[in-house]
Amino acid sequence: MKIGVLAVQGDFEAHGKTLERLGVHPWFVRRASDMESLQGIILPGGESTTQWKFLQAEGLDRALCQGAAGGMAIFGTCAGAILLAKEVRNPAQESLGLLDVVLSRNGYGRQVDSDVRFGESKLSAEALEMVFIRAPIFEEMGPEVKVLAENEGKPVMVQQGKVLASTFHPELTGDSTVHEYFLKLAGN
Ligand code: GLN
């Protein structure tokens, strides 16, 4: 299975380590040609404004949209979820528009609080450990978007077709449930 991790900025190495733990080699993606024949790609947390500039400069924005249209699975965590959104607010910025959600970047504690919580999800019977670091908030969702996990009544992980997004960081815990779910999605 060929799975990429966008490696321009942010915590891509932690995603790489989680994939390795699951026996999958991470292909670090820095330019559009690195995306050849990927079945899935992870967009890590970090700073979405910086990441967006890289995506545009390298033509990775177009390559990601083409990949998604061709059936590639995409998992965005935190800043990666912001990149996937149809609309980004507070402050507004451009994004890929591959996930029918409106995300507010002015999320938990005006983007300063970090927090570890446990919450229910549709992925397993066990509670998921959720690490929030300046997390954005899903404010609106289109009819095709499914909520996979909530925290305090708000969605924190959603899926639309082969696009998965979480506002928390599963790569920063020892629990690989979310990555396993993504790998299944990418393999289908
Ligand atoms: N709020 C950050 C942003 O706008 C994302 C934070 C994160 O990825 N941990 O990019």
Side-chain angles (χ1 to χ4, degrees), residues 107-148:
Y108 296 85
R110 297 183 141 263
Q111 311 218 16
V112 288
D113 284 353
S114 301
D115 218 335
V116 182
R117 306 178 195 178
F118 285 85
E120 304 288 309
S121 83
K122 296 214 161 93
L123 272 46
S124 80
E126 309 277 309
L128 272 186
E129 186 177 353
M130 301 172 179
V131 180
F132 294 94
I133 305 172
R134 297 170 295 122
I137 292 188
F138 291 110
E139 287 201 329
E140 292 169 28
M141 287 180 301
E144 284 171 30
V145 179
K146 286 191 297 186
V147 176
L148 297 181

Side-chain angles (χ1 to χ4, degrees), residues 26 32 44 51 61 72-73 115 119 146 156 172 176 187:
Q51 293 180 357
D61 51 346
M72 181 184 71
D115 218 335
K146 286 191 297 186
V156 291
L172 298 181
S176 46

Side-chain angles (χ1 to χ4, degrees), residues 44-49 77-80 82 93 105 111 132-136 167 169:
E47 179 44 56
S48 58
T49 311
T77 56
C78 206
I82 293 172
Q93 74 173 47
R105 297 176 69 200
Q111 311 218 16
F132 294 94
I133 305 172
R134 297 170 295 122
T167 57
H169 292 262

Side-chain angles (χ1 to χ4, degrees), residues 4-82:
V5 182
L6 179 70
V8 293
Q9 189 273 338
D11 74 336
F12 51 88
E13 279 177 10
H15 280 287
K17 291 207 170 94
T18 306
L19 290 177
E20 274 167 4
R21 258 198 343 259
L22 295 171
V24 173
H25 174 77
W27 291 85
F28 289 119
V29 170
R30 297 191 170 87
R31 49 189 63 83
S33 57
D34 297 336
M35 282 186 52
E36 215 165 288
S37 65
L38 289 183
Q39 285 157 280
I41 186 167
I42 297 176
L43 311 182
E47 179 44 56
S48 58
T49 311
T50 309
Q51 293 180 357
W52 178 249
K53 285 184 190 146
F54 270 102
L55 290 192
Q56 287 198 303
E58 292 295 335
L60 278 161
D61 51 346
R62 281 190 305 279
L64 283 164
C65 291
Q66 278 161 10
M72 181 184 71
I74 310 184
F75 175 28
T77 56
C78 206
I82 293 172

Side-chain angles (χ1 to χ4, degrees), residues 77-96:
T77 56
C78 206
I82 293 172
L83 295 179
L84 287 171
K86 182 187 71 181
E87 188 184 329
V88 180
R89 295 181 182 158
N90 301 318
Q93 74 173 47
E94 286 183 284
S95 49
L96 295 166

